[in-house]
Amino acid sequence: MLDQSKDVEVFQDTLIEGSWSLLDDLSILQHHDAVSGTAKQAVADDYAWRLFTGMKKNNGGYFRLIDETISKMSGISNQTWTECFRTNSTFVDCPVSAFEDQKDYTMNVAVQNPSTIDMNQAVFAVPNGKYDVKVFNTQSKAFETVNASVSCWNDYAENNVTYKACNMKISHTTKARDFSLFQLTQNDAAELSTNNGTVLEGSEIRDDKFQLVYEGSVKNTSQINFRLKNLQTGHSETFDFSMKYWASFINYYTWVDAQSSGDYIFRPNKGQYEAMDYSTLVGSSMSDTQMDF
Amino acid sequence: MTGEEFQKIIVHVSLDADLEGIIKFEVDLGSLPPIYYDGFEVVANFHTSMDNNQTFWTDSNGLEMQKRILNYRPTWDLVNKNYKDSLENITANFFPIQSAISMRDESTGKQFTVMNDRSQAGSALKNGNIEFMQNRRIPADDGRGMGEYFNEVDSLGNGIRVPASYYIQIFNSTTEKPLQRQVQMKVDMPQQMVYSFGKTNMQTTPVQSSMSDAYKKAGITDLVKLVIIPEAKNHFILRLENIADLYDKGAASQTVDLQGLLDAMWKNANI
């Protein structure tokens, strides 16, 4: 008993020290050079390193707190929790990549919602759609099947090798300031993947109130068109998305107006009053549009 | 390596599962072309047809929305003073954006808001058009003490890949609710996922948490941002912020029952 309370005390010290240390790092990252990325590359690398080490220092404590919370909520404890190396990435940066070719493995996913908004969907990276998905029901105190889908696309690595990447989307509400626990079991007979590839003109996604239709692209440009319809009022709005670019003003001759565009200064070429379409620069490689159903 | 694959842009479009009518664009911008003589400053561009009268609003560090009028400053004569020697009217109309650019068509009530998930530069140079600077690559030094080109590369020397997310709301500001601040809350405090592997067994009896409901009962709504920072043992800083802004029609005060909130925290820590 004494040992346990000593352990808790040491743990509390670690947490407080760790969070202050991370706050120090975060305050440095609020410097204008860090926010807008105008520092020398070596300085930018140092900002990234500070954030990395700051998080690393806290991960042990964070995972232990997660384990205690999940244990309280589900009775399942002493899990070795890990996280993805990067967020907004694909499964190759996530712990599941080590299991990609394995069969019948089980992956537990704990979700924390730190916000004050109930979140109705959990989205995370997986290698494919071959899973049985369950959620821990805190009322029945058991895992139950939950509605999930997987959408995939062709992604590519730094070395230009293409691979299939997928996102798992689970329809389950993680309430504000609360947690959820999912259990994914690999199953070759399961297939949750609903789409795989580039979206076609006329495709739509919808929920109870809105319908979003993809109205195709404009030839020889990067522009893609959409229509959003409010299903209750019948009102429609059209909008489009495109990638464009400004050509930088670069001073090659020091005897004229010398100010180049660069790290701090954004200055388009003289006489350029409109951004140009990005596809005119990179050819037809734009774009691979996915709509997530 | 042709480089072509590195210039690919993958765009994911989805409807937000929590906030009605919010469209999410995940724009994964591949390497910008190699730089030799030309520099490239690439913007994500959103457009809908409306007349915003050369006026738009940008957030101030994620807080209040500030009114911007093209080629205009409220406290000095931009055109005659700054434009006198050079026509810098692209640069002068770009603003720092931490969370949103928004515009209204006063005759129809139509409002167009595009929110981002990171600090960027942005502008609205044409009617109904909102753009955000997503990545730049320039073979020049702008003479501000850096002494190096603007050229961020990955481990293989290709331009870095820059993914960014944007959230769009197009709605009638006289009859519908703005959701800009709820989107901001989701962007600032996204879900965290952690993973473990292997079959699991229940070792203890689960305890159902009532904390989320107790917080809501205490007045912690979707517009109240709540941050807890531990200061020492049994000491913490509690920061509550009403993130609604007068730009949002219908913005109101939020009332929080502090005793109820602290009771909920105590209960959660001691069950």
Side-chain angles (χ1 to χ4, degrees):
Chain A
M1 195 63 199
L2 198 68
D3 282 339
Q4 205 185 345
S5 68
K6 176 117 180 102
D7 171 61
V8 168
E9 205 160 291
V10 170
F11 180 49
Q12 285 174 341
D13 283 339
T14 313
L15 282 181
I16 290 162
E17 202 187 301
S19 61
W20 278 104
S21 169
L22 188 58
L23 285 171
D24 283 348
D25 295 330
L26 288 175
S27 57
I28 293 168
L29 265 98
Q30 285 175 49
H31 182 64
H32 65 93
D33 277 355
V35 171
S36 53
T38 53
K40 272 180 188 269
Q41 194 55 49
V43 180
D45 293 345
D46 185 59
Y47 287 131
W49 176 248
R50 277 172 195 274
L51 191 59
F52 173 74
T53 52
M55 285 168 68
K56 209 168 169 184
K57 204 182 267 182
N58 281 275
N59 274 354
Y62 178 63
F63 293 148
R64 177 166 162 179
L65 285 177
I66 292 278
D67 198 58
E68 284 179 7
T69 307
I70 294 299
S71 166
K72 211 188 282 181
M73 181 184 123
S74 68
I76 294 163
S77 53
N78 298 318
Q79 295 292 300
T80 305
W81 295 103
T82 53
E83 64 178 355
C84 297
F85 184 61
R86 288 195 297 187
T87 51
N88 300 323
S89 180
T90 66
F91 76 93
V92 296
D93 291 314
C94 290
V96 70
S97 61
F99 293 81
E100 190 188 352
D101 301 321
Q102 292 187 28
K103 304 254 177 248
D104 305 323
Y105 64 88
T106 299
M107 175 165 83
N108 309 295
V109 185
V111 176
Q112 180 197 5
N113 176 1
S115 81
T116 55
I117 294 178
D118 292 348
M119 294 196 187
N120 298 317
Q121 196 177 51
V123 183
F124 51 90
V126 288
N128 55 53
K130 296 187 178 304
Y131 292 99
D132 292 327
V133 185
K134 289 180 172 177
V135 61
F136 188 81
N137 183 323
T138 53
Q139 279 177 325
S140 67
K141 300 182 178 17
F143 280 101
E144 292 172 0
T145 302
V146 65
N147 193 9
S149 67
V150 170
S151 64
C152 302
W153 66 94
N154 294 317
D155 214 301
Y156 59 98
E158 259 181 28
N159 62 6
N160 209 5
V161 172
T162 56
Y163 65 94
K164 196 176 81 167
C166 304
N167 270 344
M168 167 79 67
K169 299 193 168 195
I170 303 178
S171 301
H172 173 77
T173 303
T174 304
K175 288 200 278 191
R177 309 286 298 179
D178 207 348
F179 294 78
S180 291
L181 177 63
F182 300 111
Q183 194 177 68
L184 278 67
T185 306
Q186 197 278 342
N187 176 5
D188 269 345
E191 187 48 86
L192 297 171
S193 176
T194 51
N195 66 328
N196 191 356
T198 303
V199 71
L200 299 172
E201 187 174 333
S203 299
E204 62 160 63
I205 44 177
R206 63 161 75 204
D207 56 27
D208 295 343
K209 305 247 168 72
F210 286 90
Q211 173 198 43
L212 180 66
V213 182
Y214 172 55
E215 298 203 315
S217 58
V218 176
K219 208 178 168 190
N220 298 326
T221 75
S222 66
Q223 186 180 324
I224 45 180
N225 299 326
F226 295 90
R227 177 179 295 275
L228 179 71
K229 187 176 180 185
N230 184 324
L231 295 169
Q232 286 178 328
T233 63
H235 183 73
S236 272
E237 291 286 359
T238 56
F239 68 95
D240 57 75
F241 168 78
S242 56
M243 287 310 281
K244 295 192 174 181
Y245 78 102
W246 296 93
S248 316
F249 175 76
I250 297 173
N251 166 47
Y252 300 109
Y253 311 102
T254 48
W255 60 87
V256 295
D257 175 11
Q259 185 57 64
S260 288
S261 198
D263 298 285
Y264 284 96
I265 309 283
F266 163 51
R267 186 181 185 192
N269 244 337
K270 287 193 172 195
Q272 187 185 190
Y273 298 111
E274 210 168 313
M276 295 168 282
D277 199 276
Y278 192 54
S279 66
T280 60
L281 180 66
V282 297
S284 57
S285 56
M286 166 81 191
S287 64
D288 201 348
T289 308
Q290 309 279 324
M291 286 174 85
D292 295 344
F293 291 83
Chain B
M1 245 187 294
T2 62
E4 194 179 317
E5 193 65 29
F6 292 104
Q7 290 156 10
K8 184 166 145 176
I9 303 168
I10 303 172
V11 183
H12 290 264
V13 187
S14 56
L15 287 169
D16 191 279
D18 309 313
L19 305 170
E20 285 169 1
I22 296 290
I23 305 155
K24 183 178 185 184
F25 268 75
E26 289 161 276
V27 180
D28 191 344
L29 174 60
S31 304
L32 303 191
I35 42 173
Y36 303 108
Y37 301 106
D38 299 321
F40 313 107
E41 323 212 12
V42 179
V43 286
N45 212 78
F46 299 89
H47 169 259
T48 185
S49 84
M50 65 189 285
D51 181 4
N52 60 294
N53 194 27
Q54 303 203 352
T55 305
F56 56 103
W57 281 259
T58 67
D59 70 284
S60 171
N61 247 342
L63 300 174
E64 79 169 348
M65 296 299 278
Q66 295 187 323
K67 192 176 187 175
R68 312 291 191 186
I69 299 170
L70 285 180
N71 304 313
Y72 173 79
R73 293 291 186 280
T75 50
W76 80 90
D77 187 340
L78 181 73
V79 175
N80 286 317
K81 284 214 166 116
N82 299 63
Y83 288 175
K84 216 173 166 186
D85 300 325
S86 57
L87 285 166
E88 296 297 346
N89 61 347
I90 303 299
T91 302
N93 287 305
F94 265 74
F95 294 93
I97 313 298
Q98 278 72 49
S99 73
I101 297 178
S102 183
M103 53 174 64
R104 277 182 188 142
D105 188 328
E106 295 299 342
S107 62
T108 61
K110 180 173 173 175
Q111 184 172 326
F112 180 36
T113 306
V114 184
M115 293 143 275
N116 61 359
D117 72 340
R118 63 198 59 217
S119 294
Q120 292 170 314
S123 190
L125 299 166
K126 288 188 289 185
N127 270 343
N129 199 85
I130 290 175
E131 63 186 279
F132 290 93
M133 185 69 73
Q134 187 155 337
N135 195 15
R136 309 167 68 217
R137 200 174 182 193
I138 309 164
D141 175 30
D142 56 9
R144 291 294 178 275
M146 286 302 164
E148 60 188 45
Y149 288 177
F150 194 168
N151 184 28
E152 289 184 280
V153 293
D154 64 21
S155 62
L156 297 177
N158 296 299
I160 54 166
R161 184 172 165 179
V162 178
S165 296
Y166 304 93
Y167 302 81
I168 304 169
Q169 190 183 18
I170 306 176
F171 64 109
N172 187 326
S173 61
T174 56
T175 55
E176 291 168 292
K177 198 177 136 192
L179 294 169
Q180 179 190 333
R181 298 298 166 170
Q182 283 84 348
V183 170
Q184 189 180 343
M185 174 77 82
K186 282 187 70 175
V187 168
D188 285 355
M189 298 184 137
Q191 286 184 351
Q192 303 295 312
M193 318 279 176
V194 293
Y195 308 85
S196 77
F197 293 85
K199 285 238 163 14
T200 47
N201 291 311
M202 223 180 268
Q203 287 132 336
T204 49
T205 312
V207 184
Q208 217 181 330
S209 168
S210 58
M211 189 173 75
S212 187
D213 297 333
Y215 270 44
K216 283 182 192 119
K217 206 177 155 204
I220 304 296
T221 67
D222 58 4
L223 287 170
V224 177
K225 193 168 178 182
L226 179 147
V227 179
I228 298 165
I229 300 166
E231 204 173 27
K233 276 171 206 169
N234 300 317
H235 286 259
F236 60 83
I237 298 168
L238 171 67
R239 189 162 163 263
L240 295 168
E241 181 188 353
N242 178 359
I243 57 171
D245 173 30
L246 290 175
Y247 178 71
D248 308 325
K249 290 189 175 160
S253 303
Q254 302 281 331
T255 306
V256 173
D257 167 17
L258 267 184
Q259 187 63 51
L261 175 62
L262 295 171
D263 283 349
M265 278 183 199
W266 187 87
K267 196 178 164 197
N268 187 60
N270 291 282
I271 49 170

